[in-house]
Amino acid sequence: MRQVAIFSPAAGGNVGHGFIYAYKLCNFLKEKNQLRLFTIDDPKKTKAFEDSGINIALSSKFKSGRIDKKRFNKLGILKNPVYGLFRIYYNYILLKEFYRSSNKNEFFHLFEFEYTALYIYSLFHYKDLKKSILGIHIADFKWIKNRPFAVNIYKSMLHRPVSWMLHKCMHTTTHGEATRTLLIKDFSLPPERISSLQYGCDIKIPELSKTDARKEIGLALEKRKIALFFGVFRSDKGLIELINCINKLNNDILVLIAGSEGNISFNNIRESIRKGGVANQVHTEF
């Protein structure tokens, strides 16, 4: 039986829908592998893994409260850069702890990681990178219009280090075919070096018909076609632009917006809907 060690400091929590994805991935892998999940001690996240029989290896260096971004709010305008440096530091320490606690027979899958921390670590521990599978959940390592300036600078600077890591690691995984296609194109990756591990679905949950689904969200009487925007609300996704042009759509289309706050808040969305005068064409679920 193969031994697989998964590195995920937040038990999948730092990745979009990551907790569910990490949980299903671990349960799939443990069926045919001896699995070890390395993470930070946070009972709210680790209990589900433990209850399903997954071996948890907890960091002895950091606890969940110590890495909470809210601790840095008192620094005002300096909170983001200071937290960013601290995040690189603690992820580097966690990587060292993860690899040092492993054995030579294990396969390494870095489910979530901080890119700069892994790059610095790999410069000194190249052999560990060569034995690792990197889980990549984004493909936006370039300048994107309307994204915050600081984020664009950081992501653009990462392009070359990420390219080096993707070409030197054992293999790369994404959680969707679209991300895989973009990475192959943007980093000139051979297709055989990257695989798509799709989000799993819980077959125990009965499938809803369109009629029942509309009832669930209070749209049972709605006769219009429904267009869905679902995900974390971020400016680079064009959500505000979508709201601004909704009034150009046919009246037989209702736009359903559902998800969680990113750098766009619920209030930002409500205000954009109000200014655009499109309340009758938008339904929100948040």
Side-chain angles (χ1 to χ4, degrees):
M1 181 177 284
R2 290 177 302 182
Q3 299 178 50
V4 180
I6 293 183
F7 178 83
S8 184
N14 283 335
V15 180
H17 320 295
F19 176 82
I20 298 172
Y21 182 52
Y23 178 78
K24 291 185 178 297
L25 176 64
C26 286
N27 276 281
F28 170 76
L29 289 174
K30 77 180 179 68
E31 295 299 321
K32 296 184 179 181
N33 304 277
Q34 185 177 332
L35 190 68
R36 176 174 68 97
L37 173 65
F38 179 87
T39 188
I40 289 176
D41 187 12
D42 185 347
K44 292 181 180 179
K45 295 176 181 176
T46 57
K47 188 176 186 304
F49 291 93
E50 291 174 334
D51 289 347
S52 64
I54 294 169
N55 180 27
I56 302 290
L58 297 175
S59 167
S60 62
K61 305 292 185 182
F62 292 94
K63 303 291 184 182
S64 61
R66 189 179 171 193
I67 64 171
D68 190 344
K69 187 177 182 180
K70 294 178 182 177
R71 292 178 55 222
F72 297 82
N73 287 345
K74 60 186 177 182
L75 298 178
I77 61 173
L78 295 177
K79 66 179 181 180
N80 286 331
V82 173
Y83 173 73
L85 292 172
F86 175 69
R87 188 166 182 263
I88 293 171
Y89 164 73
Y90 83 71
N91 271 274
Y92 179 85
I93 298 300
L94 290 173
L95 283 166
K96 287 180 63 176
E97 186 179 6
F98 169 70
Y99 283 111
R100 288 179 179 178
S101 66
S102 64
N103 66 66
K104 62 181 181 180
N105 296 319
E106 285 184 314
F107 290 86
F108 305 123
H109 186 161
L110 306 189
F111 176 77
E112 56 168 326
F113 55 91
E114 207 288 326
Y115 295 97
T116 304
L118 179 61
Y119 178 64
I120 295 172
Y121 178 87
S122 299
L123 291 176
F124 297 99
H125 305 89
Y126 178 64
K127 290 183 178 179
D128 288 338
L129 177 65
K130 292 285 288 183
K131 297 187 295 183
S132 300
I133 298 171
L134 304 188
I136 305 294
H137 305 276
I138 57 174
D140 57 349
F141 299 100
K142 55 186 177 182
W143 198 276
I144 295 178
K145 185 180 178 181
N146 295 326
R147 187 163 65 178
F149 180 78
V151 177
N152 267 330
I153 289 290
Y154 177 64
K155 289 293 182 72
S156 299
M157 289 173 60
L158 280 177
H159 192 277
R160 186 167 293 179
V162 170
S163 179
W164 179 78
M165 291 189 291
L166 293 181
H167 282 275
K168 299 300 182 181
C169 68
M170 177 191 292
H171 197 70
T172 301
T173 65
T174 68
H175 62 215
E177 195 61 32
T179 304
R180 176 179 179 271
T181 301
L182 286 171
L183 290 176
I184 291 172
K185 177 184 176 182
D186 291 348
F187 294 101
S188 301
L189 280 175
E192 65 272 13
R193 286 188 50 81
I194 181 167
S195 303
S196 173
L197 299 177
Q198 302 288 344
Y199 278 117
C201 61
D202 195 336
I203 60 175
K204 296 179 182 178
I205 299 177
E207 184 178 344
L208 286 177
S209 67
K210 282 188 177 181
T211 300
D212 290 337
R214 290 188 176 213
K215 287 180 181 178
E216 286 281 331
I217 56 176
L219 296 175
L221 301 178
E222 181 59 61
K223 301 300 181 183
R224 291 175 289 182
K225 294 179 181 178
I226 296 178
L228 173 65
F229 179 99
F230 175 76
V232 179
F233 303 147
R234 297 203 315 259
S235 53
D236 57 291
K237 293 185 176 182
L239 176 56
I240 299 301
E241 289 79 3
L242 170 65
I243 295 172
N244 291 341
C245 69
I246 284 176
N247 58 5
K248 298 179 182 178
L249 297 175
N250 295 331
N251 288 327
D252 62 345
I253 296 177
L254 176 71
V255 177
L256 171 60
I257 299 175
S260 58
E261 291 180 304
N263 66 346
I264 297 178
S265 69
F266 298 145
N267 286 335
N268 292 149
I269 295 171
R270 294 188 184 101
E271 182 63 15
S272 295
I273 293 171
R274 186 190 66 78
K275 286 183 177 179
V278 293
N280 66 323
Q281 289 179 269
V282 182
H283 181 81
T284 56
E285 283 287 323
F286 48 74

